[in-house]
Amino acid sequence: MPVIDWEEKIKQKRLENISKVKEEILSKWLTNKINEFCKRTSICAEDIKDRINDNDKIVTAFLAKDPNKQNIHEKIAGDYIITIEGISEFKILPKSGKNAKILTNDGRVTFGNGVKSNKSIDFEFIYCGIHFYCSHKYTKDSGGAQDNSYNDLCNFLTSTRRVVDKKVYFLAIADGNYYANKLEIMNIEFVGSRCRAVSTENLKEFLESTFPKIK
């Protein structure tokens, strides 16, 4: 089973973002970030821009976009999922707006349209003619906010465990060290005929063993 080096991929994205700071010095997002920093510190914006143009590594690293705020974990997972043979129509869904999809308490998938729900649909794809809907979380370490992410996945499974429609399937995709000992618990406590907790890395094995293709 291939291993995704999450931290290395996040690091590479961070370095990419750092390398773009100088060329984006006139961009709106960077101008706003510099101005906010100046308000807090009384440091002159032009001094900061001079540091950027002089390739100051500390300043550019501080100002660069944070990969963790760019849905980097979903993109890493998505890059792996689309390589799985048999998967088609894979999509990373928007978090909000008319095209966002959410899960209702009774296991129905609907468009958001302003409806509040902590059970978001992050991915969808087709495999063996079945429409898969996925909620994805990446959690590295334990803690309060991380426990909230775990609870979100458990709620996702709770809402889908009574679904019997064989045309759909729901996956709680849990990645990161935090979930190493929790996947088995999730699949015992929240088991259902059309839902499952998996990691991105064992998704291929799960699909091939659970939905064998007709030769």
Side-chain angles (χ1 to χ4, degrees):
M1 180 178 68
V3 176
I4 299 173
D5 191 339
W6 293 87
E7 294 307 307
E8 179 61 24
K9 289 181 178 295
I10 294 167
K11 177 184 176 181
Q12 291 304 315
K13 181 61 178 177
R14 191 181 303 280
L15 291 174
E16 177 186 323
N17 288 348
I18 291 171
S19 70
K20 291 180 178 180
V21 169
K22 186 173 181 178
E23 65 186 66
E24 295 181 350
I25 195 168
L26 298 178
S27 65
K28 183 177 180 179
W29 75 267
L30 186 53
T31 298
N32 289 340
K33 192 167 187 177
I34 291 172
N35 289 340
E36 286 299 317
F37 179 76
C38 292
K39 289 179 182 178
R40 298 195 306 270
T41 63
S42 297
I43 295 176
C44 176
E46 291 306 314
D47 288 342
I48 296 175
K49 291 179 180 179
D50 287 343
R51 292 285 189 101
I52 294 173
N53 285 321
D54 289 339
N55 298 313
D56 187 304
K57 293 182 179 180
I58 295 176
V59 172
T60 53
F62 173 77
L63 293 171
K65 291 180 178 178
D66 183 355
N68 293 306
K69 296 180 180 179
Q70 294 179 294
N71 298 324
I72 182 64
H73 306 112
E74 292 180 7
K75 293 175 182 176
I76 293 171
D79 286 345
Y80 174 80
I81 292 171
I82 61 174
T83 68
I84 298 175
E85 183 180 359
I87 284 182
S88 63
E89 300 182 41
F90 175 83
K91 294 178 184 177
I92 297 179
L93 297 171
K95 300 295 184 185
S96 59
K98 64 180 182 179
N99 293 320
K101 293 183 179 180
I102 62 171
L103 181 70
T104 63
N105 290 333
D106 59 354
R108 291 180 297 110
V109 176
T110 183
F111 287 99
N113 294 327
V115 178
K116 292 184 178 180
S117 173
N118 63 351
K119 296 182 285 293
S120 63
I121 308 290
D122 298 310
F123 309 142
E124 64 178 344
F125 61 84
I126 305 295
Y127 185 83
C128 286
I130 301 169
H131 201 138
F132 284 77
Y133 296 100
C134 313
S135 180
H136 178 258
K137 301 289 184 185
Y138 173 86
T139 308
K140 181 181 178 183
D141 303 308
S142 60
Q146 291 84 342
D147 290 342
N148 290 338
S149 294
Y150 171 66
N151 290 333
D152 286 346
L153 289 179
C154 292
N155 289 335
F156 182 87
L157 292 172
T158 298
S159 295
T160 59
R161 64 193 303 184
R162 291 185 174 85
V163 173
V164 295
D165 186 350
K166 293 186 177 181
K167 295 180 180 179
V168 298
Y169 203 97
F170 297 89
L171 294 174
I173 302 180
D175 290 316
N177 293 335
Y178 175 85
Y179 296 106
N181 299 317
K182 287 183 165 57
L183 282 171
E184 184 176 357
I185 295 172
M186 294 166 73
N187 284 321
I188 293 173
E189 295 187 0
F190 306 100
V191 65
S193 65
R194 309 305 295 172
C195 66
R196 183 81 175 180
V198 298
S199 69
T200 296
E201 292 174 9
N202 66 25
L203 175 59
K204 180 178 185 291
E205 179 182 354
F206 168 73
L207 291 175
E208 291 178 347
S209 61
T210 308
F211 309 95
K213 297 177 183 178
I214 299 175
K215 300 295 183 181

